């Protein structure tokens, strides 16, 4: 049995939700189905153009914990392992970055390295089944520079843009 007060609260909440949905639906002139189709089309276009920004999560490497925050959950199944220096490297020395999948994934992967200035440099590599791939930063990355600070490395599947793992390193 509902009390009058409880019944009124539910009625007000329901009316508020209906008004909000109606107002939102009328403000832009598109149905929810049309909006869904527009979003899906934009995602398909970005993937077709090779836009990597869609799949690179907003995360940062913490050298004190040797982890990224927030963590990157792989959207591509596998037993992913990454490799980066665990001690600060000297400025001017190339940094070796690596990736492997213990479950045998193969294909092209992208390493997106974001430096202390917030700029991101990209490099691709072909990952063979059961092998490690290695990229030297900054040598393998167009326009990249190595300056003191913390770097975040996000590996992703080149074809789908799906994030795989996050790692990083520090330069003194």
């Amino acid at each position: 049995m509902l009390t009058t007060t409880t019944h009124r609260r539910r009625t007000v909440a329901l009316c508020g939700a209906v008004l909000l949905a109606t107002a939102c639906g009328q403000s832009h002139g598109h149905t929810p189905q049309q909006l869904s189709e527009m979003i899906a089309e934009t995602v398909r276009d970005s993937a077709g153009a090779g836009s990597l920004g869609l799949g690179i999560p907003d995360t940062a490497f913490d050298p004190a914990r040797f982890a990224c925050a927030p963590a990157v959950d792989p959207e591509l199944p596998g037993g992913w392992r990454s490799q980066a220096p665990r001690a600060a490297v000297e400025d001017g020395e190339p940094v070796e970055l690596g990736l492997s999948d213990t479950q045998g994934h193969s294909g092209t992967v992208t390493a997106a390295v974001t430096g202390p200035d917030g700029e991101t440099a990209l490099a691709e590599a072909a990952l063979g089944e059961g092998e490690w791939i290695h990229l030297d930063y900054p040598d393998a990355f167009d326009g990249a520079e190595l300056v003191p600070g913390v770097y975040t490395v996000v590996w992703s599947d080149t074809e789908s843009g799906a994030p795989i793992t996050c790692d990083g390193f520090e330069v003194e």
Side-chain angles (χ1 to χ4, degrees):
M1 176 174 176
L2 291 177
T3 64
T4 305
T5 305
T6 304
H7 182 66
R8 283 187 190 143
R9 285 184 189 152
R10 287 187 181 171
T11 302
V12 169
L14 180 59
C15 290
V18 170
L19 287 173
L20 182 60
T22 304
C24 290
Q26 291 176 350
S27 67
H28 50 66
H30 298 287
T31 67
Q33 178 68 26
Q34 290 171 322
L35 290 173
S36 250
E37 290 171 5
M38 290 166 62
I39 292 168
E41 184 177 329
T42 302
V43 170
R44 279 192 301 274
D45 290 347
S46 294
S51 302
L52 295 172
L54 219 78
I56 300 174
D58 187 20
T59 187
F61 180 71
D62 178 356
R65 294 182 30 228
F66 300 114
C68 293
V72 172
D73 294 323
E75 292 182 15
L76 192 63
W80 298 103
R81 297 179 296 170
S82 61
Q83 192 177 54
R86 292 297 170 230
V89 297
E90 295 292 322
D91 188 11
E93 294 294 317
V95 177
E96 186 177 77
L97 306 172
L99 182 72
S100 177
D101 176 26
T102 60
Q103 294 182 7
H105 179 83
S106 63
T108 306
V109 294
T110 299
V113 179
T114 303
D117 60 358
E119 294 293 318
T120 301
L122 305 172
E124 292 182 1
L127 178 63
E129 196 171 312
E131 297 176 0
W132 276 94
I133 56 164
H134 292 96
L135 295 170
D136 285 338
Y137 185 87
D139 301 343
F141 295 76
D142 288 335
E145 293 182 278
L146 194 61
V147 298
V150 176
Y151 291 75
T152 301
V153 182
V154 176
W155 291 92
S156 60
D157 179 69
T158 303
E159 185 177 324
S160 68
I164 295 171
T165 190
C166 179
D167 206 336
F169 58 95
E170 187 174 15
V171 176
E172 293 182 327

